[in-house]
């Protein structure tokens, strides 16, 4: 019986994971594996998947279930514990389920490869407070990059977009700006985070976790003011490859 992998989330109108893994299996001659989509509105439906599919050995988790699945698992890897979100689940040989986070390593490796020495000593702004933002924050901590987190409402250690407008030095002094929000994702491509792009210059690095479209409005506006820009596609590939490593660890 072929090994079964899949993705849970809601909605699953556009799945990078299924396309990526299906093509990977063909390209690498992996004939004993398949990848399916399991759209579910609530994480409560998740445990039944493994009972109904005994050959299911690995699951990816996307919005809105990255935190909701945690109480349904038997164990958490350190990567998931630190981030506080799960995007990879592995069924162990004894049937127990372990949660991991590969978004963290995907972002870290992608940022290092793209920005190189430009991030040494840099300060960052993280736009958004969701599960993806948590993975980004942990990666920045490991890279010793000081950051501020920005959201529509203030909170513990979080500033608002209004604070950015009131204090222009924040944007000017923090050269690495990371969009972890879904703003600008297809088909709603006419939106982006509300920052003052007039404060952006050639020393800025714009990293957008959105990958569809390949050039978001956030990236376009940054580029128009001299910023170096990158989308989230490489991060997706790297986190998917890390998931494959996790599922195939002995």
């Amino acid at each position: 019986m072929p090994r079964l992998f899949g993705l849970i989330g809601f909605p699953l109108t556009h799945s990078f994971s299924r396309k990526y893994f299906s093509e990977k299996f063909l390209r690498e001659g992996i004939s004993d594996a398949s990848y399916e989509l399991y759209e579910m509105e609530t994480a409560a439906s998740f445990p039944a998947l493994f009972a109904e599919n005994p050959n299911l050995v690995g699951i990816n988790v996307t919005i809105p279930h990255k935190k909701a699945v945690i109480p349904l698992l038997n164990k958490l890897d350190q990567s998931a514990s630190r981030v506080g979100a799960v995007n990879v689940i592995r069924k162990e040989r004894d049937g127990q389920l372990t949660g991991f986070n590969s978004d963290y390593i995907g972002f870290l490796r992608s940022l290092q490869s793209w920005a190189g020495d430009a991030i040494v000593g840099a300060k960052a702004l993280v736009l958004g407070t969701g599960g993806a933002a948590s993975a980004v924050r942990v990666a920045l901590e490991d890279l010793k990059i000081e950051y501020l987190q920005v959201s529509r409402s203030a909170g513990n250690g979080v500033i608002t977009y209004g604070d950015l407008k009131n204090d222009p030095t924040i944007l000017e002094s923090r050269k690495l700006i990371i969009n972890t929000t879904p703003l600008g994702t297809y088909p709603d491509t006419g939106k982006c985070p509300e920052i003052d792009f007039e404060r952006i210059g050639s020393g800025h690095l714009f990293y957008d976790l959105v990958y569809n479209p390949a050039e978001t409005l956030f990236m376009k506006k940054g580029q128009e003011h001299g910023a170096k820009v990158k989308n989230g596609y490489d991060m997706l590939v790297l986190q998917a490859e890390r998931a494959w490593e996790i599922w195939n660890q002995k």
Side-chain angles (χ1 to χ4, degrees), residues 36-164:
E36 301 295 336
L37 300 182
Y38 301 100
E39 190 172 76
M40 54 182 66
E41 290 193 49
T42 71
S45 308
F46 158 72
L49 270 183
F50 286 90
E52 295 166 0
N53 300 279
N55 58 330
L56 183 61
V57 295
I59 283 286
N60 287 125
V61 184
T62 190
I63 296 170
H65 303 321
K66 290 185 178 184
K67 295 183 179 181
V69 296
I70 291 176
L72 306 174
L73 303 175
N74 302 107
K75 294 181 288 184
L76 283 185
D77 178 72
Q78 184 184 29
S79 61
S81 298
R82 292 183 66 203
V83 173
V86 166
N87 76 312
V88 181
I89 296 169
R90 182 178 71 200
K91 185 170 77 172
E92 310 293 357
R93 291 181 180 179
D94 61 3
Q96 291 199 326
L97 302 177
T98 304
F100 299 79
N101 190 289
S102 68
D103 285 333
Y104 149 78
I105 198 65
F107 173 75
L108 187 149
R109 290 174 178 172
S110 175
L111 180 64
Q112 285 180 311
S113 175
W114 171 62
D117 291 340
I119 57 173
V120 177
K123 295 181 180 180
L125 280 178
V126 179
L127 310 180
T129 55
S134 300
V136 166
R137 290 200 317 268
V138 173
L140 293 177
E141 289 166 6
D142 283 0
L143 292 169
K144 305 294 190 293
I145 295 175
E146 179 192 324
Y147 65 85
L148 275 177
Q149 196 164 6
V150 187
S151 184
R152 285 172 292 183
S153 53
N156 185 26
V158 179
I159 66 171
T160 68
Y161 290 96
D163 294 328
L164 291 183

Side-chain angles (χ1 to χ4, degrees), residues 5 21-30 33-35 244:
F5 303 90
F21 281 108
S22 296
E23 290 178 353
K24 176 183 175 67
F25 297 158
L26 284 173
R27 184 176 62 250
E28 299 182 14
I30 301 170
S34 62
Y35 195 100
W244 185 246

